């Protein structure tokens, strides 16, 4: 017994000594993600729902004067939305609880311009509750969009409205959580109804809304929620609504304000001091809200797959909008295309031919940083190079030839984003060739997927040409 205990203690001491005597991990290269940002990046795809008075008045930006009574979905079914979204690979959903027209989809105490003054469920309806309940039931995350710009409110652009807006955030963040994201939209000021004034009002978007307080209200009850928009954003807008993130895309950015050039949103900035990852918001139809005349121009499966590769494949999250139709359901064309999109992506990225490959690298840091970590399916292990080796070549040998057309790479971004450029080579029967990709091969970050015409290889080599420091690569796959 005594002998056994001593043996155990000795083995623990040896393991601890081995750990300390072993090579240290590379030093972090700032900026770094927070744990919550990392969890958010892992969601990759989630949905937007635009639904409200605009839907019933065939508008995109309601002026703020359409009557609350015009909100009358007859067959509304949040479970139909959530089931459709789940089958489309969406991990969560963000609802427009209030758009620029100021109409609130929950029975708020802050304004009469809300769902309780509509015929919906005889004035007893609460759409924010219905959707958050359905999300909980089917295991989707829930988030909220609440427009700062309010074209209905009489005191918009004056101090009183800011209190109203904060009260709305307070209600939304207290009663429907947990929330994974809160959207402060960037569209601000301009003409509107404003309680009957019918005039143009402008504000300073960086200062008018007291975003410091707004953010504190969100985080008080939802400490892990991401914030979109405003000066305290923890995720950034991509700078377009086309569904494309920069091919070169750093999570690093300088401090962002409403004056930041759109190119920074799109590409990030290698030497930026803050970690603010990108969200690509795009609608499955031309408009954000439902319009009957767009039923025949819903994005098809090819277009949706392209958006996926240009967002998730470019180190960004994909936020795909579904404009719920007049009857209160996701239109069958939208749901068919979205479900088929997910099926195709799963198909294209399911068979990782590197899973059993023999892995070699020209440089390994030693100890636990070995090259084969990139195929162990574990995000926490990674291949790292020596401190004076900010590049490196990794090769995969297969025991029989395989046909591939996609390569997926991930950095261990807990230590910062590093890779600046790489290229791919294949080998078949001893003949080496460069693989020409459709997608640029520059930054990697949390995730990078490159596409190319199918090639047959028995060896695949990835040459990392330039990096901000030693490489830290956690996963590589080929399909
Ligand atoms: C924009 C808005 O103006 C659009 O209507 C839409 O809500 C989009 C997601 O954000 O800024």
């Amino acid at each position: 017994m005594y002998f056994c205990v001593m043996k155990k203690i000795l083995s623990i001491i040896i393991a601890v000594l081995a750990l300390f005597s072993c090579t240290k991990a590379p030093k972090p290269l700032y900026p770094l993600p927070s744990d919550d940002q990392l969890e958010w990046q892992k969601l990759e795809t989630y949905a937007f729902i635009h639904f409200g008075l605009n839907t019933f008045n065939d508008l995109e930006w309601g002026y703020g004067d359409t009557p609350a009574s015009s909100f009358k979905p007859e067959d509304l079914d949040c479970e139909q939305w959530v089931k459709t979204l789940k089958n489309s690979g969406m991990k969560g959903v963000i609802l427009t609880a209030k758009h620029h027209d100021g109409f609130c989809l929950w029975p708020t105490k802050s304004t009469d311009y809300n769902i309780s003054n509509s015929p919906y469920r005889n004035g007893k309806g609460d759409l924010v509750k219905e959707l958050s309940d359905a999300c909980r039931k089917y295991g989707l995350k829930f988030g909220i969009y609440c427009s700062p710009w309010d074209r209905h409110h009489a005191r918009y652009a004056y101090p009183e409205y800011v209190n109203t807006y904060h009260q709305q955030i307070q209600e939304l963040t207290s009663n429907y959580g947990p929330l994974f994201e809160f959207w402060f939209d960037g569209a601000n000021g301009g003409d509107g109804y404003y309680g009957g004034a019918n005039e143009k009002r402008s504000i300073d978007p960086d200062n008018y809304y007291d975003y410091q307080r707004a953010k504190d209200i969100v985080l008080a009850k939802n400490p892990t929620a991401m914030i979109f928009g405003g000066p305290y954003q923890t995720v950034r807008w991509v700078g377009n609504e086309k569904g494309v993130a920069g091919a070169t895309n750093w999570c690093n950015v300088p401090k962002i304000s409403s004056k930041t050039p759109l190119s920074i949103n799109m590409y990030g900035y290698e030497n930026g001091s803050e970690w603010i990852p990108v969200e690509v918001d795009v609608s499955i139809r031309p408009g954000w809200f439902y319009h009957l005349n767009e039923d025949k121009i819903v994005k098809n499966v090819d277009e949706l797959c392209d958006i996926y590769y240009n967002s998730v494949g470019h180190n960004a999250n994909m936020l795909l909008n579904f404009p719920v139709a007049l009857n209160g359901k996701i239109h069958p064309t939208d749901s068919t295309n979205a479900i088929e999109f997910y099926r195709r992506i799963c198909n294209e990225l399911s068979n990782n031919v590197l899973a059993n490959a023999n892995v070699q690298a020209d440089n390994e840091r030693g100890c636990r940083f070995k090259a084969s970590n990139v195929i162990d399916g574990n995000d926490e292990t990674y291949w790292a190079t020596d401190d004076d080796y900010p590049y490196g070549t990794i090769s995969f040998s297969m025991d029989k030839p395989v046909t591939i057309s996609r390569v997926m790479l991930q950095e261990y971004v807990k230590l910062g984003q590093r890779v600046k450029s790489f290229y791919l080579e294949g080998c078949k029967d001893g003949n080496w060739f460069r693989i020409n990709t459709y997608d640029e091969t520059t930054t990697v970050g949390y995730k990078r997927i490159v596409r190319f015409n199918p090639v047959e290889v028995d060896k695949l080599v990835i040459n990392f040409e330039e990096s901000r420091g030693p490489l830290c690569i956690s996963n590589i796959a080929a399909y």
Side-chain angles (χ1 to χ4, degrees):
M1 174 68 185
Y2 172 78
F3 183 67
C4 277
V5 173
M6 285 312 285
K7 213 170 138 190
K8 190 128 202 153
I9 292 175
L10 205 65
S11 66
I12 292 172
I13 293 173
I14 290 172
V16 170
L17 280 177
L19 201 68
F20 281 103
S21 63
C22 215
T23 324
K24 284 207 180 79
K27 285 205 189 74
L29 279 180
Y30 293 91
L32 304 180
S34 70
D35 290 347
D36 298 331
Q37 285 173 315
L38 260 184
E39 284 310 306
W40 176 87
Q41 286 187 268
K42 287 184 193 159
L43 296 176
E44 300 188 357
T45 50
Y46 43 87
F48 230 157
I49 295 275
H50 275 64
F51 188 60
L53 275 186
N54 289 339
T55 312
F56 298 91
N57 294 284
D58 207 9
L59 295 170
E60 276 293 306
W61 276 14
Y63 190 69
D65 61 347
T66 42
S69 59
S70 55
F71 183 80
K72 42 182 177 215
E74 265 147 30
D75 203 10
L76 192 143
D77 182 0
C78 284
E79 295 204 6
Q80 185 259 356
W81 308 358
V82 167
K83 283 189 253 176
T84 303
L85 301 178
K86 251 202 123 146
N87 292 334
S88 310
M90 302 290 137
K91 306 292 175 351
V93 52
I94 299 176
L95 172 70
T96 52
K98 181 186 87 166
H99 203 254
H100 310 326
D101 61 12
F103 182 74
C104 297
L105 294 178
W106 78 105
T108 175
K109 295 196 176 67
S110 67
T111 170
D112 290 342
Y113 203 45
N114 76 58
I115 197 164
S116 61
N117 289 311
S118 81
Y120 182 62
R121 303 210 191 283
N122 296 319
K124 301 268 176 310
D126 182 345
L127 199 49
V128 183
K129 177 159 174 22
E130 281 187 55
L131 184 54
S132 60
D133 286 350
C135 282
R136 217 158 295 131
K137 179 162 167 193
Y138 290 93
L140 283 196
K141 296 200 178 282
F142 184 58
I144 287 179
Y145 166 119
C146 185
S147 170
W149 184 20
D150 189 320
R151 302 175 94 189
H152 178 81
H153 201 277
R155 301 305 291 163
Y156 180 77
Y158 297 92
E160 297 94 305
Y161 167 72
V162 179
N163 284 332
T164 304
Y165 186 49
H166 289 175
Q167 183 186 342
Q168 293 172 348
I169 299 170
Q170 180 82 53
E171 291 176 1
L172 289 169
T173 56
S174 308
N175 303 330
Y176 307 102
L179 304 176
F180 81 101
E181 182 167 330
F182 202 93
W183 250 68
F184 302 130
D185 195 296
N188 274 296
D191 60 346
Y193 171 70
Y194 303 128
N198 295 307
E199 61 188 12
K200 190 166 177 192
R201 294 184 183 171
S202 335
I203 49 96
D204 164 6
D206 292 327
N207 297 302
Y208 171 59
Y209 299 106
D210 190 355
Y211 273 126
Q212 165 91 53
R213 179 152 177 258
K215 173 202 76 170
D216 289 346
I217 299 172
V218 173
L219 297 184
K221 300 228 167 68
N222 302 271
T224 61
M226 292 293 107
I227 306 258
F228 176 99
Y232 302 101
Q233 59 188 262
T234 44
V235 301
R236 73 181 199 259
W237 183 46
V238 68
N240 68 73
E241 293 177 343
K242 299 196 192 102
V244 191
T248 296
N249 182 15
W250 295 97
C251 291
N252 311 354
V253 286
K255 187 147 184 55
I256 290 196
S257 77
S258 63
K259 288 157 202 98
T260 302
L262 288 184
S263 59
I264 295 280
N265 289 68
M266 179 102 174
Y267 305 107
Y269 178 60
E270 184 188 332
N271 298 316
S273 56
E274 308 205 356
W275 183 278
I276 316 236
V278 179
E279 180 177 82
V280 171
D281 60 321
V282 58
S283 187
I284 194 164
R285 290 168 174 243
W288 292 98
F289 285 91
Y290 177 81
H291 309 285
L292 187 71
N293 64 5
E294 293 184 351
D295 279 357
K296 295 215 158 44
I297 38 177
V298 177
K299 288 190 175 72
N300 63 32
V301 178
D302 287 344
E303 289 169 305
L304 294 173
C305 288
D306 227 33
I307 290 173
Y308 175 88
Y309 285 111
N310 287 329
S311 53
V312 177
H314 284 188
N315 189 30
N317 276 2
M318 169 175 169
L319 171 53
L320 181 64
N321 179 60
F322 293 77
V324 166
L326 291 161
N327 63 354
K329 296 222 166 86
I330 294 178
H331 189 279
T333 308
D334 306 32
S335 70
T336 307
N337 293 5
I339 292 169
E340 191 47 42
F341 142 78
Y342 182 51
R343 219 175 273 152
R344 194 189 292 172
I345 289 292
C346 290
N347 212 1
E348 288 182 1
L349 305 178
S350 63
N351 181 25
N352 176 15
V353 301
L354 305 185
N356 299 309
N358 180 292
V359 190
Q360 304 283 331
D362 64 344
N363 179 282
E364 276 181 348
R365 201 175 174 85
C367 284
R368 61 186 204 273
F369 304 107
K370 50 188 194 293
S372 59
N373 288 344
V374 302
I375 57 162
D376 68 359
N378 182 348
D379 291 343
E380 290 306 314
T381 61
Y382 54 100
W383 162 49
T385 53
D386 287 327
D387 281 346
D388 58 356
Y389 219 80
Y391 28 72
T393 295
I394 188 164
S395 67
F396 303 86
S397 306
M398 275 63 79
D399 44 8
K400 56 177 191 317
V402 288
T403 302
I404 53 170
S405 58
R406 307 274 184 272
V407 164
M408 189 280 293
L409 307 120
Q410 294 191 282
E411 287 189 75
Y412 185 72
V413 288
K414 279 187 185 171
L415 295 177
Q417 190 175 336
R418 295 159 182 256
V419 174
K420 288 162 67 156
S421 80
F422 63 96
Y423 67 94
L424 311 180
E425 283 175 301
C427 181
K428 171 83 198 303
D429 300 331
N431 298 315
W432 286 96
F433 55 93
R434 178 124 172 191
I435 299 177
N436 295 315
T437 58
Y438 313 146
D439 300 286
E440 277 176 44
T441 49
T442 51
T443 50
V444 174
Y446 161 74
K447 185 172 269 192
R448 178 78 178 176
I449 309 173
V450 288
R451 293 168 284 176
F452 44 91
N453 284 336
V455 287
E456 223 194 355
V457 294
D458 45 41
K459 277 196 187 65
L460 172 72
V461 166
I462 302 176
N463 298 288
F464 294 95
E465 296 174 291
E466 223 189 319
S467 166
R468 289 171 67 224
L471 298 171
C472 298
I473 308 292
S474 64
N475 288 307
I476 300 182
Y479 310 95

